[in-house]
């Protein structure tokens, strides 16, 4: 059992818009909708990879109920408080113009104090009773949560020797790092917000001082994984003609890292498998989703380079 924490899930929508003109009506040719939010993507990917997973989230209004139904259809248990305000909607534009892959991210509902307390209480009960093999905490939080929420969740899991994987940004990440999670995933740009460098290998080394496994992604350059003083660089140049959407690739990569660590002791395998999962998302039309058969095919094509270094 793996617990995926998705405090601020979303309904992700793909809008096909040829062009966007300022100040006038613009129409989409087609809209498609998928379960979203980083933790939801992680959960669906883990399920596809054969892992038993539960999602802890907040579920608001009709969009929240729709998300829970989609989780149930995949045999993923969805737990957490039901809210009156609707779960957010996020839009990704598919276009032949410069607007292609533009994202509009909804803010999400405002959670009341007793609902936030209930969320943490349920997390604590689940950890104590189910003792999951791992906890994955990713994404933003709704208004009403404080910036220390992830720090507390990581610390609680640590009391039961349960490894925590974290993917967050800003104050949420900075506070989470103080709790020394087992593994952290960020992208190159998020790393530059923490340290004055855009070198993904340097960012991974510095991040490694806060965790045992540091994963930094750098788009087409691939994954830089720091483990025990060594950098594992895994990459695969997917032909651009095969890329449908990169939205959710980082989440699928994180799911792959969790799955790999739970099944294998070789960090080189972790890096290749995680990179394969991130790439597999790009060839699948549903946002933030992957297929295990694509992962297996891509894994054999992933290139791996290894270098020894000291943490900074």
């Amino acid at each position: 059992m793996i617990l995926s924490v998705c405090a601020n899930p979303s309904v992700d929508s793909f809008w096909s818009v040829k062009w966007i003109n300022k100040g006038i009506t613009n129409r989409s040719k087609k809209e498609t909708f998928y379960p979203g939010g980083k933790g939801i993507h992680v959960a669906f990917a883990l399920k596809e990879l054969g892992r038993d997973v539960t999602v802890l989230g907040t579920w608001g209004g009709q969009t929240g109920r729709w998300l829970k139904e989609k989780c149930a259809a995949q045999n993923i248990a969805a737990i957490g408080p039901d809210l009156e305000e609707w779960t957010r909607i996020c839009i990704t534009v598919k276009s032949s113009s410069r607007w292609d892959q533009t994202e509009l991210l909804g803010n999400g509902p405002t959670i009341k104090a007793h609902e936030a307390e209930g969320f943490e209480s349920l997390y604590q009960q689940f950890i104590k009773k189910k003792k999951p093999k791992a906890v994955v905490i990713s994404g933003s939080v709704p208004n009403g949560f404080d910036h220390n929420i992830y720090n507390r969740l990581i610390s609680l899991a640590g009391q039961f020797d349960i490894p925590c994987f974290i993917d967050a940004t800003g104050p949420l990440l900075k506070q989470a790092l103080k709790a020394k999670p087992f593994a952290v995933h960020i992208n190159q740009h998020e790393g530059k917000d923490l340290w004055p460098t855009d070198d993904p290998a340097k960012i991974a080394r510095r991040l490694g001082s806060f965790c045992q496994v540091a994963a930094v992604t750098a788009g087409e350059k691939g994954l830089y994984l720091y483990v025990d003083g060594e950098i594992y660089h895994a990459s695969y140049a997917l032909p651009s003609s095969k890329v449908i959407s990169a939205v959710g690739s980082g989440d699928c990569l994180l799911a792959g890292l969790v799955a790999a660590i739970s099944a294998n002791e070789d960090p080189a395998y972790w890096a290749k498998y995680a990179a394969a999962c991130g790439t597999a998302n790009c060839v699948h039309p549903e946002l933030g989703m992957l297929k295990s058969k694509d992962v297996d095919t891509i894994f054999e094509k992933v290139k791996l380079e290894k270098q020894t270094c000291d943490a900074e």
Side-chain angles (χ1 to χ4, degrees):
M1 166 67 72
I2 297 171
L3 178 64
S4 180
V5 177
C6 187
N8 201 15
S10 68
V11 174
D12 287 353
S13 55
F14 222 156
W15 289 40
S16 180
V17 182
K18 184 176 182 180
W19 190 260
I20 297 179
N21 295 296
K22 181 180 178 181
I24 64 173
T25 299
N26 296 271
R27 293 187 183 277
S28 169
K29 292 183 178 180
K30 183 180 180 181
E31 304 88 44
T32 50
F33 299 89
Y34 309 102
K38 296 180 74 64
I40 296 289
H41 291 160
V42 169
F44 274 64
L46 283 169
K47 191 66 177 182
E48 174 65 17
L49 296 173
R51 300 317 193 266
D52 186 15
V53 60
T54 294
V55 176
L56 170 61
T58 58
W59 317 99
Q62 294 186 28
T63 47
R65 288 193 292 272
W66 182 85
L67 280 173
K68 292 176 76 173
E69 290 172 359
K70 292 298 181 182
C71 288
Q74 296 296 321
N75 292 318
I76 297 173
I79 61 175
D82 294 317
L83 313 177
E84 291 185 9
E85 294 184 40
W86 285 25
T87 292
R88 63 189 178 135
I89 298 175
C90 297
I91 299 171
T92 298
V93 176
K94 183 66 176 177
S95 175
S96 58
S97 71
R98 63 189 178 93
W99 298 101
D100 189 44
Q101 300 301 315
T102 297
E103 294 184 77
L104 300 174
L105 305 183
N107 188 53
T110 296
I111 193 167
K112 298 179 177 62
H114 74 276
E115 293 168 334
E117 292 173 1
F119 181 91
E120 287 194 56
S121 177
L122 186 55
Y123 173 86
Q124 184 175 19
Q125 293 172 25
F126 189 94
I127 290 294
K128 289 182 177 180
K129 184 177 180 180
K130 300 292 187 178
K131 293 183 174 58
K133 192 168 187 177
V135 172
V136 188
I137 305 171
S138 49
S140 62
V141 297
N143 296 325
F145 279 112
D146 64 73
H147 292 154
N148 290 317
I149 174 67
Y150 287 172
N151 180 296
R152 294 193 297 273
L153 299 186
I154 294 167
S155 298
L156 181 60
Q159 295 177 21
F160 295 89
D161 295 322
I162 299 171
C164 258
F165 296 71
I166 180 79
D167 183 344
T169 60
L172 281 170
L173 175 60
K174 291 179 180 179
Q175 293 302 318
L177 292 179
K178 296 178 181 179
K180 298 287 185 178
F182 172 76
V184 180
H185 167 251
I186 57 175
N187 64 40
Q188 180 182 17
H189 303 295
E190 293 162 350
K192 192 174 182 180
D193 290 338
L194 295 174
W195 299 288
T197 178
D198 57 5
D199 184 332
K202 288 184 178 180
I203 294 170
R205 289 198 297 271
R206 293 186 178 185
L207 191 60
S209 64
F210 296 93
C211 56
Q212 296 182 47
V213 178
V216 177
T217 47
E220 293 180 354
K221 294 181 180 179
L223 167 66
Y224 293 78
L225 191 71
Y226 180 86
V227 184
D228 293 332
E230 295 181 314
I231 291 283
Y232 299 84
H233 178 208
S235 63
Y236 170 58
L238 186 70
S240 59
S241 60
K242 292 187 177 181
V243 176
I244 297 176
S245 173
V247 175
S249 289
D251 307 326
C252 289
L253 182 145
L254 179 58
L257 183 62
V258 176
I261 291 176
S262 69
N264 193 294
E265 296 183 355
D266 182 7
Y269 175 85
W270 302 349
K272 286 190 64 175
Y273 193 80
C277 287
T279 304
N281 168 73
C282 297
V283 302
H284 194 55
E286 294 184 2
L287 300 181
M289 306 293 173
L290 55 76
K291 295 296 183 183
S292 58
K293 61 180 180 62
D294 294 326
V295 174
D296 295 338
T297 300
I298 294 171
F299 178 86
E300 301 300 329
K301 301 177 182 179
V302 174
K303 295 181 179 180
L304 183 74
E305 297 177 349
K306 179 180 174 182
Q307 67 182 73
T308 300
C309 57
D310 296 321
E312 296 184 9

